[in-house]
Amino acid sequence: MTTRHNVSLMGTVFSFCLMASVTRARRAIEAATAELEAVDRAFSPFRDDSLVTRVRRGELAPESYPPPLAEVVRRCAEVTARTDGWFDPWAVPGGFDPSGLVKGWSVEDGKLVKLYPFTNYYQTMAFVNALAWISHREDHHPDLLVGYNKCRVEYMTHAIGGLSENDFICAAKCDALFRL
C-alpha cells in the first residue's frame, strides 16, 4: 500500500510517499513530522522562542549553546571556511541565520537538487555562466537543466555514486551566487 502525505512547515512543504501498511506509514509520518517540528522550534529565525532567534538577540553566549545548536554553528563555520566566505550565516540582515545551509534543496534520486527562478533568459544565462566558472574552479560540476527563466541544478559525486560533502559545499556556493 502507498501512503502519501504533505506537511507544511518552515515555509515549505515536505512530501512523504511510503510503501507500507497504513498503520506503519502513519506512525512513520507522525515521527518524521514531530522531528521536523522540533527542528523548526529550535532553528527557525522566524520564531521568537527559537534558539536561533535567541542567538540573534544576544541572549545565548557560545559557551552556553545546547549541543544541537553548537553542532549547527560548527557546521556553518566549517562551510563558511570551505566556501571561502560564500556562505556566511552571520552576514545576513538580523544576524545569525543557518537556514541557508540547506534551504531550498531537496534530494531526488540520490542527487541534491534545486530550481532557481529568473526574470528572463539573460539572467538565467548569466547565472549559468557564473556557475560554470565556479564549478570549474572547484572541479565539481553539476548537471544543469536550463530554461528561459529557470535553471535546475543537480549535484552528485559520480565517483561514489551518491552525495559527498563537496556537493553540499558547492550547493552553498550556488546559493550565494544566486543571492548576488
Side-chain angles (χ1 to χ4, degrees), residues 53-74:
T53 299
R54 293 181 63 208
V55 168
R56 292 166 71 110
R57 289 191 304 243
E59 296 173 5
L60 288 176
E63 61 275 3
S64 68
Y65 290 170
L69 177 61
E71 176 64 15
V72 167
V73 170
R74 184 194 67 73

Side-chain angles (χ1 to χ4, degrees), residues 49-161:
D49 59 342
S50 77
L51 295 172
V52 166
T53 299
R54 293 181 63 208
V55 168
R56 292 166 71 110
R57 289 191 304 243
E59 296 173 5
L60 288 176
E63 61 275 3
S64 68
Y65 290 170
L69 177 61
E71 176 64 15
V72 167
V73 170
R74 184 194 67 73
R75 287 184 184 187
C76 285
E78 190 176 282
V79 172
T80 299
R82 298 272 317 262
T83 63
D84 299 322
W86 283 68
F87 169 79
D88 185 352
W90 300 96
V92 295
F96 182 64
D97 182 356
S99 61
L101 198 58
V102 296
K103 194 164 194 129
W105 291 88
S106 62
V107 176
E108 297 176 18
D109 298 323
K111 299 175 186 174
L112 196 56
V113 177
K114 187 168 185 178
L115 181 67
Y116 291 94
F118 298 94
T119 304
N120 56 45
Y121 188 70
Y122 175 78
Q123 288 179 351
T124 305
M125 293 311 296
F127 174 81
V128 167
N129 287 325
L131 183 57
W133 183 84
I134 291 168
S135 300
H136 180 71
R137 187 170 159 234
E138 292 297 316
D139 194 30
H140 196 64
H141 306 88
D143 290 329
L144 304 174
L145 179 61
V146 180
Y148 174 81
N149 60 353
K150 61 189 170 201
C151 178
R152 178 181 164 104
V153 179
E154 300 178 354
Y155 280 105
M156 182 182 85
T157 302
H158 297 282
I160 64 169

